[in-house]
Amino acid sequence: TTTPKPKIPMVKVADDMNIRLAGGRTPNEGRVEMKFDAGEWGVACGDGWGVREAIVACKQLGLGYAEATMSTSIFGGSNMTKVVSGLGCKGNEESLLDCGHDDFGSLSALAKDA
């Protein structure tokens, strides 16, 4: 078997990270948009996005516990820049910036958005 390469801590590539939800029917749902340091808003590539990442995003947004998550483009954003790929959280982090990732920057991801 092939051992997956370890996740890179987000704090090694960015000092600051803002997130917001957009495209949802209510303020508590939608795609997760991210902005690192003074960069532009973008989205996470959906690969690796799961309930642990949603728990951390909801905590960071002050929304409490995540009920469900999906990796889909139903909330739009497929034309936005993918700014991070392969997010990996444990679920106890205070911010997505505390999680690991596979790739960072302007990405061309084929997976659905988070």
Side-chain angles (χ1 to χ4, degrees), residues 40-92:
E40 299 292 319
W41 287 99
V43 293
C45 214
D47 58 328
W49 187 267
V51 71
R52 289 180 283 194
E53 291 73 29
I55 288 168
V56 176
C58 287
K59 188 186 308 182
Q60 185 174 347
L61 290 166
L63 298 176
Y65 196 78
E67 268 184 46
T69 184
M70 63 178 101
S71 181
T72 180
S73 57
I74 194 169
F75 298 117
S78 58
N79 62 337
M80 295 182 73
T81 301
K82 310 300 188 273
V83 292
V84 68
S85 174
L87 272 171
C89 302
K90 295 175 185 166
N92 62 349

Side-chain angles (χ1 to χ4, degrees), residues 90-102:
K90 295 175 185 166
N92 62 349
E93 297 90 346
E94 293 298 316
S95 162
L96 291 174
L97 193 59
D98 300 324
C99 300
H101 72 289
D102 292 332

